[in-house]
Amino acid sequence: MKQKILHIDMDAFFARVEKVDRPELRGKAVVVGGQSERGVVSTACYRARQHGVHSAMPMAQARKLCPEATFLPVRGERYKEISRTIQKIMRSYTPLVEPVSLDEAYLDVTGVLHSDNSAYEIARQIKQEIKKQTRLTCSIGIGPNKMIAKLASEDCKPDGLQEIKEEEKDNFMIHLPLDAIPGIGEKTGRELERIGINSIKELREAESNFLYRELGTRGIILQKRGLGEDSTPVKANEETKSISNEETYPEDLEDRKIIKKFLFRLMEKVGRRLRDKKLEAKTVEVKVRRGDFTTLTRSYTGRRHTDVTERLWAAVVALFEEIKIDARGVRLLGVGVSNLRPAASQEELFEASDEQRKARLNELMDNLNEEYGDQTIVRGGTIIGQD
Amino acid sequence: MKFSATRAILEEALTTISGAVTSSSSLPVLEHVLIEVDGNNLILKATDLELSLETEGKISGESDGSCSVPARKFQNLVQSLPSAETELSLELTDDEQVKMTVDEINSEFLLPVLPSDEFPGLPEPESQNLELNFKLSCDKLIDMLRNTQFAASTDATRGYLGGVLFDLGEKELTVVATDSHRLALHKLEYSEKAPAKGSILVPVGAIKELVKILPEEGEVKVVSDGNLTEFIFDGSRLVSRLINEEFPDYHRVIPDDYENRTTIDCRRMLDAVKRVSLVADEKTRRLILDFSAGELTVKAENTEEGQGEEKLSIDGNANLKIAFNGDYLAEVLKHISDNQIHLDLISADSPGTFRPMEAEDYLYIVMPMRLT
């Protein structure tokens, strides 16, 4: 049987959950997002979207665009609960479910098909079951690989169901805009335009040598995507791929020293979660969103894995050194780790003394904080307002 | 270029240089072997730019010349011939192909060639600037390399951890390799005069290749100019780039003392470690060694893979529990040819040191894993 992948994407998930829970909101515009002065939109329902509201937009701007909307805070726990129900439905059809986020997942149904048309039938049943149990709608795309499935679901939103078969994919692809292809955003779009590629058709027909010369391996990968090829498998295990934490501040931060302290506090939280999950990381990422919403991320991949906060912190400091802080200030900071593996708790020969002492200190501090509550014991650097 | 030779001669020469043939490369010529005929001498060369190999063989030459042919294809063809004595002849034709004729089976093959001047010249250490220059019997070097190279990291991005250190001092040659979790060290008294003494760090890939092709007999000459190293032996040579990084001070991590010395039957321990490892955690590979009252229990704790333990009797009074990566234990036990081995321990969070009972010149240090 040919491979069949489903991409299931809930329609305006957070906003719809709110409407289900509060029937009086039905037929009205609903925007879910941060409630502080500086919060951003998490989800806008389709009605609010008609007014130009979209996710990641500052709430203040959304209020201007759509003053009649009801603005609600994010109720993470409630969405997680519903997400679990939905995932349970999906898993009753195939064990190969890869959740991408609370409201999005890939399913590989290849192994459970009876005929070439049964993927469509399964998708129809899943839609129906989700509707029945949660009263929410979703859009499902079916394709011979993950990318086509996702493009198909985006193409039929909301409440849609569309299958693109292997033999239909060429025709489907060439009618999509160039930036529908994952990896082609504004910047890459401009680069492609510069070398004379303005459509998926032109990307498909370009000489691969030419693309390689101009864009390196990235060019080859983009062309493969343009041809509708994608060989990434649906990964069912829910292994943690990254751990991160970010904070939006009530006022823009300008003082590097203070920013560093906030970064350290985020690092400590991330370090603790890392050790909690008995993992070690190799890559550290720092995210800075400026007052004007330009966001930059810098990451560093070390030579070896570690779960020691001090070692991860050293990377954060080095990354932060490269980030200029100017009059725009900083509204959001984030610290994340990825490239994870189970903590081997293998001791090292050459940094033995120092590294291991720190690992023990981390362990001790985690235990104290566990027992007596957060911030019982903190590193000197995180006490805000003190040098 | 034209010559004839037996399958055996060509096969041996091709096997010797095959480790430096690139399998897929942006430079097609690196997938080729360069064939040179000089009188009755055949010289084969291959390089992947990091590692280069050259070897000689005796043939009956008809006309001198050189060309490069696709190495794997040529090697497969030669190996497919009926017997070691089968004669074949090779000739560079006018239309830029190599013709291989095997009269015994009435066969004729044509292989594409690339002009020999496209083939990069094999590098050589600068002879005026040798930082290391010494000779050693092949069997001793093979022994030292086999006993140490497995401890190096195979991850090429890890710099010095992916190398084997040759450290030639006043009185001894020391070969060391480490991946930062364990370290293997083999020493050899070396009081002979050497033209240049010093230390070099050779990529483990080159060492593995060298161990494969070094003959059991004869001498090997090792020279280096600090950038390249060359091993010359029995009509062949291997040239490798060095790892340009400082090797950590290995003397510092060799424990000068121990609290507990345990003497264990090597074979018995290897069997136990291998068996219990089958149920050890697949990712951490952690085994617990529990010493008490003349007995050692090798344990794998309850994991998704299961659990298991095996008891063996030992000599010594250690009373200690320590965790190690089971693979690190199995690897050293496999390489020790003595019957008995000392395992010297200090505490659960200090390194363990393995020393073969009969061989003072070898040691293997392995860092423990945290017990909790």
Side-chain angles (χ1 to χ4, degrees), chain B residues 201-212:
Chain B
L201 188 53
V202 187
V204 68
I207 294 297
K208 287 194 167 140
E209 213 39 59
L210 181 64
V211 171
K212 259 191 248 166

Side-chain angles (χ1 to χ4, degrees), chain A residues 6 9 14 29 31 49 64 77 83 106 110 112 147 157 166 192 201-202 245 264-265 308 325 328 333 349-350 367:
Chain A
L6 268 54
D9 196 0
F14 297 176
V31 178
R49 286 182 202 186
K64 269 188 215 134
E77 279 312 310
S83 180
Y106 289 99
T110 315
V112 295
M147 186 187 68
K157 273 196 150 304
E166 181 68 39
L192 287 169
K201 190 162 176 288
E202 284 167 351
N245 206 326
F264 199 107
R265 204 163 72 180
V308 175
I325 300 301
R328 286 174 285 177
L333 288 172
L349 262 171
F350 295 105
N367 289 343

Side-chain angles (χ1 to χ4, degrees), chain A residues 239 278 280 282 303-304 307-308 341-353 356 359-360 363, chain B residues 157-161 178 180-183 245 248 252-253 283-284 325 328 349 365 367-370 372:
Chain A
E239 272 177 34
K278 297 216 185 306
E280 322 180 298
K282 207 171 167 184
R303 261 195 183 175
R304 55 173 70 122
D307 62 358
V308 175
R341 68 162 193 202
S345 60
Q346 169 70 55
E347 309 274 17
E348 297 277 332
L349 262 171
F350 295 105
E351 297 160 46
S353 48
Q356 277 157 33
R360 300 242 158 68
E363 211 176 297
Chain B
T157 63
R158 301 195 64 199
Y160 67 80
L161 299 173
T178 179
S180 87
H181 298 150
R182 55 353 192 331
L183 175 147
E245 268 189 55
R252 196 166 55 84
V253 296
K283 284 183 178 136
T284 69
N325 180 321
Y328 295 168
D349 49 15
I365 303 168
M367 287 304 286
M369 299 177 81
R370 273 173 258 162
T372 45

Side-chain angles (χ1 to χ4, degrees), chain B residues 183-202:
Chain B
L183 175 147
L185 177 151
H186 201 150
K187 258 194 305 206
L188 178 76
E189 243 178 72
Y190 194 95
S191 43
E192 286 159 60
K193 273 218 174 94
K197 296 192 169 187
S199 66
I200 53 168
L201 188 53
V202 187

Side-chain angles (χ1 to χ4, degrees), chain A residues 63-340:
Chain A
R63 280 178 210 277
K64 269 188 215 134
L65 287 171
C66 188
E68 70 271 30
T70 309
F71 292 84
L72 298 170
V74 179
R75 290 190 299 150
E77 279 312 310
R78 175 72 180 137
Y79 311 142
K80 269 187 208 162
E81 187 188 333
I82 297 193
S83 180
R84 277 193 292 270
T85 308
I86 294 166
Q87 284 185 26
K88 214 170 143 191
I89 297 171
M90 299 180 198
R91 288 207 175 82
S92 70
Y93 288 87
T94 168
L96 285 175
V97 176
E98 178 184 333
V100 182
S101 60
L102 289 181
D103 59 348
E104 193 185 341
Y106 289 99
L107 278 66
D108 185 339
V109 296
T110 315
V112 295
L113 300 179
H114 310 293
S115 74
D116 198 43
N117 292 322
S118 48
Y120 192 90
E121 182 50 30
I122 288 174
R124 206 187 51 77
Q125 284 175 26
I126 291 176
K127 258 178 84 73
Q128 212 171 36
E129 196 58 32
I130 290 177
K131 184 82 194 269
K132 199 172 122 198
Q133 291 193 28
T134 67
R135 293 155 64 199
L136 296 170
T137 62
C138 63
S139 300
I140 305 187
I142 308 166
N145 60 48
K146 280 166 90 172
M147 186 187 68
I148 299 280
K150 186 173 165 83
L151 292 172
S153 76
E154 277 164 9
D155 190 52
C156 68
K157 273 196 150 304
D159 201 12
L161 172 55
Q162 171 171 233
E163 170 161 15
I164 304 297
K165 295 191 173 174
E166 181 68 39
E167 59 273 21
E168 297 161 348
K169 84 178 182 197
D170 288 338
N171 194 34
F172 173 67
M173 289 296 300
I174 54 173
H175 289 104
L176 293 174
L178 192 55
D179 62 5
I181 291 178
I184 304 188
E186 218 175 299
K187 196 163 153 235
T188 308
R190 275 201 304 273
E191 277 177 85
L192 287 169
E193 199 177 310
R194 182 178 54 78
I195 60 171
I197 291 172
N198 298 297
S199 68
I200 290 193
K201 190 162 176 288
E202 284 167 351
L203 176 63
R204 291 161 65 108
E205 286 165 2
E207 279 286 330
S208 54
N209 277 340
F210 166 74
L211 287 172
Y212 182 75
R213 211 170 51 237
E214 294 292 333
L215 301 170
T217 21
R218 197 161 52 105
I220 304 293
I221 293 169
L222 291 177
Q223 185 175 46
K224 278 204 181 321
R225 291 185 185 158
L227 290 165
E229 292 170 27
D230 175 18
S231 55
T232 47
V234 172
K235 289 191 215 87
N237 52 353
E238 293 166 89
E239 272 177 34
T240 312
K241 291 189 186 114
S242 65
I243 295 175
S244 61
N245 206 326
E246 53 184 58
E247 288 174 342
T248 303
Y249 301 100
E251 275 172 44
D252 287 346
L253 310 174
E254 280 170 10
D255 183 339
R256 285 193 79 93
K257 268 190 198 157
I258 292 184
I259 295 173
K260 227 163 137 174
K261 284 186 174 173
F262 280 115
L263 279 174
F264 199 107
R265 204 163 72 180
L266 289 166
M267 183 73 255
E268 283 222 289
K269 284 187 191 163
V270 169
R272 227 181 110 192
R273 274 170 61 203
L274 184 68
R275 290 187 293 277
D276 236 25
K277 289 180 179 281
K278 297 216 185 306
L279 294 169
E280 322 180 298
K282 207 171 167 184
T283 301
V284 181
E285 188 180 274
V286 173
K287 178 172 170 185
V288 172
R289 180 166 296 151
R290 300 215 165 99
D292 65 354
F293 275 85
T294 50
T295 305
L296 41 104
T297 54
R298 295 281 180 273
S299 73
Y300 170 80
T301 300
R303 261 195 183 175
R304 55 173 70 122
H305 287 81
T306 182
D307 62 358
V308 175
T309 296
E310 277 79 0
R311 271 186 66 100
L312 298 166
W313 173 240
V316 172
V317 170
L319 292 170
F320 183 57
E321 288 304 318
E322 289 172 23
I323 298 174
K324 232 182 106 201
I325 300 301
D326 52 27
R328 286 174 285 177
V330 170
R331 57 175 288 135
L332 172 145
L333 288 172
V335 170
V337 293
S338 56
N339 229 325
L340 306 179

